[in-house]
């Protein structure tokens, strides 16, 4: 038993420093996507969906007065969060997917 403990300790001390010297695997390059910092508005009444296609279930409706923030794009779809409660009853913070072609950037207004 003692011999096994010593052998294990020797192996650990020999292999541990070597592992620290090996270069780490290169991390995949991050794809940075620029989204409108002021958010987006639907052009007309659209569905907020559970996934990035019309085949995914609808979570509810969004209208032109609703404000959303995009943070991911996939295949012509934006993953968004609602900024405020939607007129249809969806609650602020709700996440889902909307077709990119159905939204337009909100205009930022800065008052001096």
């Amino acid at each position: 038993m003692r011999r096994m403990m010593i052998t294990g300790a020797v192996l650990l001390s020999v292999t541990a420093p070597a592992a620290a010297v090996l270069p780490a695997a290169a991390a995949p390059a991050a794809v940075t996507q620029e989204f409108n910092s002021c958010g987006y508005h639907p052009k007309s009444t659209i569905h907020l969906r559970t996934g990035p296609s019309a085949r995914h279930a609808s979570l509810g409706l969004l209208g032109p007065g609703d404000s959303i923030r995009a943070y991911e794009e996939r295949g012509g779809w934006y993953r968004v969060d609602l900024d405020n409660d939607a007129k249809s009853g969806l609650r602020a913070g709700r996440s889902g997917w909307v077709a990119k072609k159905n939204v337009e950037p909100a205009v930022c207004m800065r008052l001096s």
Side-chain angles (χ1 to χ4, degrees):
M1 177 78 162
R2 183 174 169 93
R3 179 178 284 169
M4 288 175 61
M5 288 175 40
I6 292 172
T7 304
V10 170
L11 284 175
L12 183 61
S13 66
V14 170
T15 58
V21 175
L22 295 175
V31 177
T32 54
Q33 172 72 37
E34 293 294 322
F35 295 106
N36 185 21
S37 63
C38 295
Y40 295 84
H41 295 287
K43 294 177 183 177
S44 61
T45 301
I46 62 172
H47 290 273
L48 179 68
R49 299 198 175 269
T50 58
S53 81
R55 291 185 307 255
H56 287 86
S58 175
L59 297 168
L61 297 173
L62 299 174
D66 295 325
S67 179
I68 54 178
R69 299 252 176 212
Y71 57 92
E72 182 181 347
E73 182 181 359
R74 188 183 312 162
W77 290 75
Y78 281 150
R79 186 171 192 164
V80 299
D81 287 337
L82 272 68
D83 284 340
N84 303 307
D85 289 350
K87 291 176 181 63
S88 66
L90 292 172
R91 303 306 251 162
R94 180 71 183 205
S95 293
W97 294 83
V98 295
K100 181 179 176 179
K101 67 182 181 183
N102 294 331
V103 297
E104 59 191 359
V107 177
C108 297
M109 297 184 73
R110 298 178 196 259
L111 301 175
S112 301

